Amino acid sequence: MDFTAAYISVPGASNSDSHTRKVILVSPRGYCAGVDRAVATVERALEIHGPGVYVRKEIVHNKHVVSALKDKGAIFVDEVDEVPVGAVVVFSAHGVSPAVRAAAKERELVAIDATCPLVTKVHKEAKRLAASGMEILLIGHAGHEEVEGTYGEAPESITLVEHPADALRVDVRDPARVAWLSQTTLSVDETRETVARLRARFPELMDPPSDDICYATQNRQSAVREIAPQCDCVLVVGSANSSNSRRLVEVALDAGAGQAHLIDDVAQIDPAWIEDATTVAVTSGASVPDHLVREVVAHLAASGFPDVEEHRPIEETLTFALPPQVR
């Protein structure tokens, strides 16, 4: 949808200071290919099997998406032992460990894997490196489902490195046989800093064959980084448990935005944030449906920001095929 055309003139919007007060709508934003595939997988499974399809963990980290799928009949659980024997279960976009797959098989579940293919790529890298005798330093956040899944592929060979400071403390068995991988939704800048510190200690550190931080995370961060210095306030639509959404707030602040806030929806906007602002940017994490962004833009229009300028440095065209069980 062309927001610039749709919101240039909003009925009922305040026109005060309209020549200076504006919204910059940042693109790319919202669903990435992996999220789109995961949500569509659950929807298609519900069409095929009817209500009562189980989903392990949140299919993606957005409370509105999860709520909408619950309304359609999806049942969300923390672990597969909560799923009735023989039932249908969908694995979330963040991936699962081999132990989870084994538990699902033991319960004779009909498992549909909605793991993002870019996460699957990291799993394969972990298995390959471990099989060749390499020690793996996995850069990521403890407790995140994606990290747990990747770690589970080779627990004897992986050490978690959460922050750049941790790179100064981590020990390895053989500095000549060590590689790094990363969670796909990290801050590009912080990950680069962590890798630099690791390489300073372990000069022979092996890089992954391709960048682990996914294209969508990089694109959204890059777009926000470009526009942040012009903005009094950046509003990032996304849930608090969304790693890539939280990183967008950090990137905006680091790049010079006056302020930046993570909001689940329009109801969480504090009027004080925009009271004295002239330029407000709006973006969203990779698991956010675009109707939530439209509602934020409409609210800003009614609050004295009727003009919308779109910042779109790159177009995304990547798509992923659905899992074979639901095609």
Side-chain angles (χ1 to χ4, degrees):
M1 178 178 182
D2 185 347
F3 278 85
T4 306
Y7 287 101
I8 255 318
S9 226
V10 178
S14 167
N15 290 318
S16 62
D17 298 325
S18 62
H19 62 290
T20 57
R21 304 187 87 194
K22 67 179 179 181
V23 172
I24 299 179
L25 190 62
V26 184
S27 297
R29 64 178 180 276
Y31 279 11
C32 63
V35 166
D36 191 45
R37 174 182 185 268
V39 174
T41 296
V42 178
E43 292 175 335
R44 182 67 182 133
L46 288 167
E47 291 174 5
I48 295 170
H49 300 283
V53 169
Y54 288 78
V55 184
R56 182 187 179 275
K57 305 292 186 182
E58 292 188 354
I59 184 67
V60 297
H61 285 160
N62 185 268
K63 73 174 192 177
H64 290 280
V65 172
V66 171
S67 178
L69 291 173
K70 284 181 179 178
D71 290 343
K72 293 179 180 181
I75 302 170
F76 290 83
V77 298
D78 284 329
E79 298 298 343
V80 294
D81 60 11
E82 301 172 55
V83 181
V85 172
V88 177
V89 64
V90 179
F91 297 145
S92 80
H94 309 104
V96 297
S97 68
V100 172
R101 296 181 190 279
K105 185 176 182 180
E106 185 177 342
R107 294 184 68 78
E108 300 180 345
L109 303 182
V110 179
I112 303 173
D113 191 358
T115 301
C116 173
L118 299 180
V119 174
T120 299
K121 175 181 75 71
V122 179
H123 284 208
K124 291 179 178 177
E125 290 169 355
K127 288 189 287 187
R128 178 183 60 80
L129 289 168
S132 68
M134 298 291 289
E135 187 171 357
I136 302 163
L137 300 178
L138 176 60
I139 303 171
H141 300 300
H144 192 283
E145 289 101 303
E146 182 184 331
V147 167
E148 291 178 348
T150 302
Y151 183 86
E153 295 288 358
E156 301 301 319
S157 301
I158 294 177
T159 299
L160 183 64
V161 179
E162 286 199 79
H163 305 290
D166 297 333
L168 304 177
R169 296 187 290 265
V170 66
D171 293 319
V172 300
R173 295 186 298 269
D174 182 356
R177 301 280 297 166
V178 62
W180 71 272
L181 298 175
S182 80
Q183 183 179 330
T184 63
T185 56
L186 299 180
S187 161
V188 174
D189 293 336
E190 184 173 299
T191 302
R192 187 179 293 119
E193 181 182 354
T194 302
V195 172
R197 292 188 181 191
L198 288 171
R199 197 177 307 282
R201 294 187 61 206
F202 314 121
E204 296 181 60
L205 180 71
M206 180 184 295
D207 295 324
S210 60
D211 203 332
D212 284 346
I213 297 180
C214 85
Y215 78 98
T217 296
Q218 295 192 53
N219 289 347
R220 282 151 186 74
Q221 289 180 19
S222 177
V224 166
R225 188 181 296 107
E226 289 179 13
I227 208 67
Q230 307 174 33
C231 300
D232 303 300
C233 179
V234 176
L235 298 177
V236 178
V237 185
S239 291
N241 63 339
S242 167
S243 175
N244 76 89
S245 297
R246 293 200 309 273
R247 300 294 83 74
L248 288 174
V249 174
E250 296 170 0
V251 168
L253 292 172
D254 289 345
Q259 53 183 312
H261 305 281
L262 181 66
I263 57 173
D264 260 307
D265 49 46
V266 68
Q268 294 186 340
I269 297 176
D270 185 338
W273 297 342
I274 60 175
E275 183 177 7
D276 297 322
T278 57
T279 302
V280 177
V282 180
T283 189
S284 62
S287 52
V288 177
D290 218 38
H291 73 86
L292 297 175
V293 176
R294 292 198 296 271
E295 292 167 6
V296 169
V297 174
H299 172 83
L300 291 171
S303 301
F305 296 83
D307 298 331
V308 179
E309 171 187 312
E310 186 146 20
H311 177 70
R312 186 187 293 270
I314 190 170
E315 295 284 345
E316 292 180 348
T317 58
L318 182 65
T319 59
F320 294 130
L322 292 178
Q325 300 97 321
V326 295
R327 285 179 197 164

